[in-house]
């Protein structure tokens, strides 16, 4: 059985302008790998209705799951929910259960439940709410698209709400060996080893530390026995490697 | 005149598996903004020939420039140059000038110029080399696609080699105001102000600091006079804001 596939769609002008460095992709990538879902593609698009709709429709057709971050707050630049509804060609409006959650939240906080905040209860027809234990305003799942907040701690809480509901595959395992040689020296024997293990993925990542050139050799796969065998072979190829 | 547009294509399994956190996108986004080129989309794809070819062809048709990072080293998982050649339907082979650069580099270093290292002189037909002052192995520009290394300091050096050769537009300017209120409180007046300045882009970014909820209000545009006018109006709306 091959693992389910996924894509991430980051929505936000602030990422594209260089104002904010996206960290949600890195977080989600690690969580999906542990859960046995293969992240195959990431896209970042602006707060632009047409761009969001096009990306959502391309990605939901190509992968088993799509995770989005950003654009579900109360301000005028938060247009993700409407774009998702448009992508699925369903209606969108204030939903009673989401509105009740938010109303109770703002009542407890002693804050006005004004029109902007009520906007966060706009949910596309047919969606399931995603719990937000941080600040109440929910995300939602529509079809295979999971729509979450961009604020990192809320995004992470929503990922924790969604992931256990998804069927994962075998977690992707990885082991690495660090060698004190440049990529150009190890490339030949490393490629030969990779050809012997077509079921595993082997990558090399050069680095410079304290002025010394080295390479991390990484082997990834879902079968721990095959991974162990390949690592034994790799260590024999480069006996001077560091543990 | 509107500014030229650009897309970034990050190539690498290690980003999608969560092993490595991509920082090249954040770096490029800031540099492009300063240079007056609008970054409109980012994609991350795996070390997969078909995925790279499809992404390159989609992005180079849609934007004025495409910047890629990753996959131009000496190992078997470095397949970007071949994928770019395939995307443009041109041939690829070892190029004499790139080979001469690399041969001299390895001779100076006292290292063997072996087959793996010679692979880094494979350049698609018709490309211009991009200077690599860090480790010599060049990037290249083919059509509107600029192909660069994934290692951050090499990527940054290549961006510095390429950007001065590209015609930029008016740099995107931004100013921000920090207010000690949640997004839900400022959304109404902020949206009204945004509607009065359709030539500017206004975004709001909530944060929590020391347990206090606040929002950064950011206004972006290329006309410094309009930006100053909008900031004056914004400050008047939220007189308690922090400088």
């Amino acid at each position: 059985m091959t693992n389910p596939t996924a894509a991430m769609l980051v929505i936000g002008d602030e990422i594209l302008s260089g104002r904010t460095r996206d960290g949600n992709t890195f977080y989600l990538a690690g969580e999906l790998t542990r859960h046995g879902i293969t992240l195959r593609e990431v896209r970042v698009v602006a707060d632009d209705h047409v761009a969001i709709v096009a990306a959502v429709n391309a990605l939901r057709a190509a992968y088993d799951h799509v995770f989005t971050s950003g654009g579900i707050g109360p301000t005028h630049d938060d247009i993700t929910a409407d774009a998702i509804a448009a992508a699925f060609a369903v209606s969108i409006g204030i939903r009673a259960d989401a509105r009740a959650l938010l109303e109770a939240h703002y009542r407890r906080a002693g804050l006005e439940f004004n029109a902007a905040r009520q906007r966060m209860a706009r949910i596309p027809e047919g969606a399931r709410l995603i719990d937000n234990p941080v600040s109440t305003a929910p995300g939602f799942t529509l079809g295979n698209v999971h729509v979450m907040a961009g604020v990192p701690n809320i995004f992470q809480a929503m990922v924790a709400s969604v992931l256990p509901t998804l069927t994962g595959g075998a977690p992707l395992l990885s082991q690495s060996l660090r060698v004190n040689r440049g990529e150009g020296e190890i490339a030949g024997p490393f490629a030969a080893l990779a050809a012997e293990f077509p079921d595993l993925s082997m990558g090399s990542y050069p680095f410079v530390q304290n002025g010394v050139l080295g390479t991390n050799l990484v082997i990834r796969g879902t079968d721990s026995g095959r991974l162990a065998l390949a690592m034994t072979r790799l260590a024999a190829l480069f006996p001077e490697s560091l543990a």
Side-chain angles (χ1 to χ4, degrees), chain A:
Chain A
M1 193 195 88
T2 56
N3 285 354
T5 59
M8 166 83 169
L9 176 62
V10 178
I11 297 159
D13 290 350
E14 73 279 18
I15 310 291
L16 294 171
S17 74
R19 180 181 179 278
T20 301
R21 181 174 170 171
D22 164 54
N24 290 334
T25 298
F26 179 62
Y27 178 79
L28 183 71
E31 291 296 300
L32 290 178
T33 294
R34 274 183 283 284
H35 199 70
I37 295 176
T38 304
L39 181 60
R40 293 263 295 273
E41 183 170 347
V42 178
R43 295 193 191 183
V44 185
V45 297
D47 299 318
D48 175 279
H49 183 83
V50 172
I52 300 169
V53 171
V56 165
N57 279 336
L59 296 173
R60 74 188 177 98
Y63 304 107
D64 295 323
H65 294 286
V66 179
F67 299 84
T68 81
S69 79
I72 64 168
T75 56
H76 67 276
D77 56 333
D78 290 307
I79 61 173
T80 298
D82 285 88
I84 301 288
F88 281 85
V90 300
S91 63
I92 181 170
I94 299 232
R95 200 163 103 171
D97 55 353
R99 189 184 194 288
L101 286 170
L102 285 161
E103 188 166 25
H105 170 74
Y106 287 108
R107 189 187 307 120
R108 279 192 304 273
L111 293 169
E112 185 197 358
F113 188 44
N114 60 20
R117 287 171 173 144
Q118 288 177 42
R119 242 184 121 232
M120 292 190 287
R122 286 170 59 76
I123 304 286
E125 184 76 33
R128 290 190 308 281
L129 299 187
I130 297 176
D131 187 37
N132 170 2
V134 178
S135 57
T136 304
F140 60 85
T141 293
L142 183 59
N144 61 343
V145 181
H146 312 283
V147 177
M148 299 180 286
V151 178
N153 62 330
I154 305 177
F155 178 80
Q156 292 173 19
M158 288 182 172
V159 169
S161 299
V162 168
L163 262 194
T165 70
L166 306 180
T167 303
L172 184 67
L173 308 172
S174 78
Q175 291 198 38
S176 65
L177 190 76
R178 182 179 155 134
V179 296
N180 276 341
R181 306 197 206 174
E183 277 193 297
E185 302 215 4
I186 55 82
F190 191 49
L193 186 67
E196 277 187 59
F197 289 85
D199 53 323
L200 302 177
S201 152
M202 302 197 190
S204 62
Y205 306 100
F207 63 84
V208 177
Q209 199 170 56
N210 302 325
V212 177
L213 185 65
T215 306
N216 280 310
L217 303 176
V218 181
I219 306 186
R220 305 180 187 90
T222 54
D223 181 326
S224 60
R226 292 282 293 167
L227 198 61
L229 181 60
M231 283 301 293
T232 302
R233 294 283 310 283
L234 186 66
L237 281 177
F238 304 109
E240 84 296 4
S241 56
L242 309 173

